[in-house]
Amino acid sequence: MEAVISKLSLFSLLVIVAASIDDEFMYNGFRESDLHLDGISDISPDGLLRMTNTTKNQQGHAFHKMPLLFKNRDGNPNSFSTTFVFAIHSEREDVSGQGLALVLSPTRGLPGAPPIQYLGLFNPGNNGNSSNHVIAVEFDTIFNIEFGDIDNNHVGIDVNGLRSIAAAPASYYAGEAAGYKNFSLFRGETIQVWVEYDSLDMKFNVTISPITTVTKPSFPLLSSTINLSSVIYDTMYVGFSSSSGSVITSHYVLGWSFKMSGQAPALNLSALPSLPPRNQMKNSTTRTTSLILELSFAVVLFVLVMLISIGFLVKRKMRFKEVLEDWEIEYRPHRFSYKDLYKATKGFRNEEVLGVGGFGRVYRGKLPTSKVDVAVKRVITHDSKHATREFIAEIVSVGRLCHRNLVQLLGYCRRNGELLLVYEFMSNGSLDKFLFTDTWPTKVNWRQRFQIIRGVASGLFYLHEEWEQVVLHRDIKAGNVLLDGEMNGKLGDFGLSRLYDHGSDPRTTHVVGTMGYIAPELTRTGRTTPSTDVFAFGVFMLEMACGRRPIEQQASPESLNLVDWVRRCWRRGCITDSRDPKLGDDFKMQELELVLKLGLICSHPLPAVRPSMRQVLCFLDGDLPVPELSMDFLDEKASSLDIPSISSSFASSAVFKEQSSGREPLLQEENQSYYVQ
Ligand SMILES: *[C@@H]1O[C@H](CO)[C@@H](O)[C@H](O)[C@H]1NC(C)=O
Ligand SMILES: *[C@@H]1O[C@H](CO)[C@@H](O)[C@H](O)[C@H]1NC(C)=O
Ligand SMILES: *[C@@H]1O[C@H](CO)[C@@H](O)[C@H](O)[C@H]1NC(C)=O
Ligand SMILES: *[C@@H]1O[C@H](CO)[C@@H](O)[C@H](O)[C@H]1NC(C)=O
Ligand SMILES: *[C@@H]1O[C@H](CO)[C@@H](O)[C@H](O)[C@H]1NC(C)=O
Ligand SMILES: *[C@@H]1O[C@H](CO)[C@@H](O)[C@H](O)[C@H]1NC(C)=O
């Protein structure tokens, strides 16, 4: 009886002692908890227990600070019950870092336990050694063959070592029909765990379920019979252990309750701290990778954009590339930028081509800033630099020429092998279009023709005599006479032929000019003089009067050559018969005769016989009577007959006045002056 009492009193004493040792607790979040943390574990300000942060290969422990009395006075293990909520966030969908374990341990920490696959529980030296006195429930997310793991997503009961005495894939009993349902421990699911031990039947039950199922599944996932008496000490610490591995993973515990010898109080699930959003966690873990990805993408994009724009700029630069050399600086005011000309001609479109001449294409254009209409002649040059340089010096001088019967050269631009000359725009184009088309009546009537002849003569006179230097045109023909809106004729293209003259020996090579307009002495000497220009002008006058080209291949042999044909008509005494039939009756006989006769005189084979342009103007204006041509006029031997009488008046004195003024012919290579015959 006494023994019974003492037993009872001892029992009650033990109960009191046991009660004094904490045997029940509940944490709905760990804000006000009294946990012992080590390793990389921490508690966030809102009470979330984070067992591992994103630092790799580390471990973390969190233990209830006070030891618990796990054995009764008989030395037999107590029943106990505990429940907790956890979540594992892995940076990757398919794999996780190490798992998490609930631990009963004789000490508050687990010193010497390496991280990684040992879950922060054991080390290679003590793993499986019964002297450990550790019991754990592992939530293992790594498939370790060395520990006999079943897969990478299982729950196991470990006694003194990581080789589980019982294990099962993470799943929960979802009712009779559904059976056990698998789910992932590490895909961010918030999971509730119940661990219960019944000391009577020594059943160690582990039940898990996603928190979303709300109620505890009616059957445990693991139920093992374990005689804990030799495993556990009287007092044990209870807590969590976790370790991070090479895959960045965070292990969270949200709430936890425990009760010795009874049912652990249910957690208030709505009071648990909230987890960081998984995508944010994912962000934080994959931030670097995604950042690197984004950055490299941005860099690649940037480099691409740079390359494309550089390519574009280079292309653009190449497109608008022009040649500007030092010596050209002084001509700068006369230079156009290629870009402007490119824009003006809409990129030298074929639609803008006004005509194709011997030197290249002529494009119509509108200057981008001034909106002035221009004609851009694109001359392909194959010349040496020296020749181009001389030519530019000349054209710039030519650009200073200003006469209402000369097409104004506005400037130039130079590129590799290409020269662009910018002229005023002549809206009616070249005269030959009007002159040689078979429209009836003619598109240019006699009055207009005479006016054009007069204008061209005046322009040529300006070139030869009125300007500060003698300029030779070298290619006078209907095709080089351009018409403005009022059908005023203007001479264009002067001096261009010179460009093609360069580098060639004048004695041996081709003669510049156009067939039918070339004075006979030019083919012999290769020397252009004002007189050769006058010859061509004479032919031009005949063209205007007769409305046909100087050499008409389709014509009968006797009228093949225009000059010969007009001569023949003149010899027959009917020079006006050679007139352009398209003129009809609308002409002045006197003017027509004058033009035809003057044309013959100017195109005389002997240069000495040809008048100067000054004289030509006088004849055209009626200031001098046209000399009567004798029958042997065209006889070269007797050709000096009438002409000296012309030049003996004021004309020859004019010639010698020029000579004394020391003017040098500009567009002439020879040092020898033209007027020294
Ligand atoms: C993880 O926790 C440890 C210990 O508190 C700390 O030194 C480390 O900087 C933390 N790492 C990160 C990524 O927060
Ligand atoms: C278990 O650990 C104890 C103490 O650390 C040691 O003496 C014993 O040799 C170990 N047993 C085995 C099998 O490793
Ligand atoms: C659950 O997972 C285990 C192991 O991965 C597998 O053997 C079992 O068939 C799965 N059960 C269901 C219902 O998918
Ligand atoms: C453990 O699980 C078994 C099987 O479901 C059950 O019979 C037993 O009552 C459970 N024990 C505890 C303490 O929950
Ligand atoms: C449990 O183990 C202890 C010591 O190993 C032993 O004394 C006890 O009888 C065992 N209990 C049962 C129910 O087998
Ligand atoms: C559970 O927590 C919520 C929020 O903190 C609180 O409003 C509620 O009263 C709690 N329920 C119980 C049963 O304590």
Side-chain angles (χ1 to χ4, degrees), residues 175-248:
E176 212 171 325
Y180 283 86
K181 265 194 180 170
N182 287 347
F183 67 99
S184 172
L185 294 174
F186 56 83
R187 297 220 171 98
E189 195 109 50
T190 306
I191 298 156
Q192 186 162 13
V193 181
W194 295 265
V195 176
E196 286 142 333
Y197 182 68
D198 189 339
S199 56
L200 288 179
D201 60 4
M202 296 186 291
K203 281 280 185 238
F204 195 102
N205 287 4
V206 178
T207 312
I208 63 169
S209 81
I211 203 168
T212 45
T213 57
V214 181
T215 54
K216 181 186 169 193
S218 44
F219 287 100
L221 174 62
L222 297 172
S223 181
S224 282
T225 309
I226 307 170
N227 187 348
L228 280 182
S229 29
S230 59
V231 181
I232 57 173
Y233 289 123
D234 287 5
T235 54
M236 298 284 278
Y237 289 90
V238 62
F240 300 97
S241 176
S242 186
S243 64
S244 61
S246 49
V247 179
I248 292 172

Side-chain angles (χ1 to χ4, degrees), residues 373-417:
D373 283 320
V374 291
V376 180
K377 178 162 275 206
R378 210 174 183 186
V379 183
I380 311 296
T381 62
H382 310 286
D383 266 322
S384 67
K385 270 193 180 150
H386 175 73
T388 316
R389 179 174 179 162
E390 266 183 40
F391 179 75
I392 287 182
E394 284 169 10
I395 56 164
V396 170
S397 313
V398 166
R400 278 167 35 227
L401 292 170
C402 193
H403 189 273
R404 74 193 136 79
N405 293 111
L406 297 177
V407 178
Q408 184 68 39
L409 177 72
L410 301 174
Y412 79 103
C413 175
R414 217 155 64 84
R415 302 184 83 204
N416 240 353

Side-chain angles (χ1 to χ4, degrees), residues 9-281:
S9 60
L10 185 66
F11 180 69
S12 50
L13 185 76
L14 274 175
V15 167
I16 291 160
V17 169
S20 70
I21 304 171
D22 214 355
D23 69 349
E24 181 184 338
F25 55 83
M26 177 164 80
Y27 302 119
N28 287 304
F30 298 89
R31 202 171 1 204
E32 273 131 33
S33 66
D34 200 11
L35 293 186
H36 175 84
L37 303 177
D38 70 24
I40 55 172
S41 305
D42 61 11
I43 292 169
S44 73
D46 60 346
L48 183 65
L49 169 60
R50 184 166 61 165
M51 296 300 296
T52 60
N53 57 23
T54 54
T55 307
K56 290 181 180 181
N57 298 333
Q58 294 296 319
Q59 59 181 340
H61 298 128
F63 279 93
H64 184 67
K65 220 164 204 168
M66 301 303 291
L68 299 177
L69 196 59
F70 269 86
K71 279 186 178 167
N72 60 26
R73 61 189 167 97
D74 299 329
N76 291 325
N78 284 328
S79 295
F80 63 88
S81 160
T82 182
T83 182
F84 62 95
V85 175
F86 78 97
I88 301 174
H89 285 182
S90 171
E91 65 165 347
R92 287 172 58 176
E93 276 293 312
D94 50 343
V95 280
S96 153
Q98 306 301 312
L100 176 86
L102 174 79
V103 199
L104 305 187
S105 159
T107 55
R108 242 189 334 222
L110 294 154
I116 322 184
Q117 71 267 46
Y118 292 88
L119 282 169
L121 294 172
F122 308 105
N123 62 50
N126 67 11
N127 186 30
N129 192 326
S130 56
S131 67
N132 287 330
H133 297 282
V134 169
I135 185 158
V137 179
E138 64 168 36
F139 301 87
D140 196 346
T141 51
I142 294 282
F143 185 21
N144 279 312
I145 293 167
E146 51 176 315
F147 305 140
D149 283 353
I150 51 168
D151 61 11
N152 69 344
N153 187 48
H154 62 270
V155 182
I157 300 169
D158 301 342
V159 178
N160 291 326
L162 285 168
R163 195 169 279 271
S164 306
I165 60 160
S171 55
Y172 68 96
Y173 185 76
E176 212 171 325
Y180 283 86
K181 265 194 180 170
N182 287 347
F183 67 99
S184 172
L185 294 174
F186 56 83
R187 297 220 171 98
E189 195 109 50
T190 306
I191 298 156
Q192 186 162 13
V193 181
W194 295 265
V195 176
E196 286 142 333
Y197 182 68
D198 189 339
S199 56
L200 288 179
D201 60 4
M202 296 186 291
K203 281 280 185 238
F204 195 102
N205 287 4
V206 178
T207 312
I208 63 169
S209 81
I211 203 168
T212 45
T213 57
V214 181
T215 54
K216 181 186 169 193
S218 44
F219 287 100
L221 174 62
L222 297 172
S223 181
S224 282
T225 309
I226 307 170
N227 187 348
L228 280 182
S229 29
S230 59
V231 181
I232 57 173
Y233 289 123
D234 287 5
T235 54
M236 298 284 278
Y237 289 90
V238 62
F240 300 97
S241 176
S242 186
S243 64
S244 61
S246 49
V247 179
I248 292 172
T249 312
S250 289
H251 300 91
Y252 299 102
V253 181
L254 293 83
W256 181 26
S257 71
F258 184 94
K259 187 169 171 65
M260 197 66 79
S261 310
Q263 183 75 39
L267 297 172
N268 183 352
L269 297 183
S270 51
L272 300 180
S274 52
L275 286 163
R278 185 139 185 271
N279 54 357
Q280 185 196 316
M281 179 267 163

Side-chain angles (χ1 to χ4, degrees), residues 429-437 478-481 483 543 549:
S430 71
L431 172 64
D432 57 351
K433 272 194 323 211
F434 291 87
L435 200 55
F436 303 132
T437 45
N480 275 342
V481 172
L483 299 173
E543 275 185 297
R549 294 178 193 277

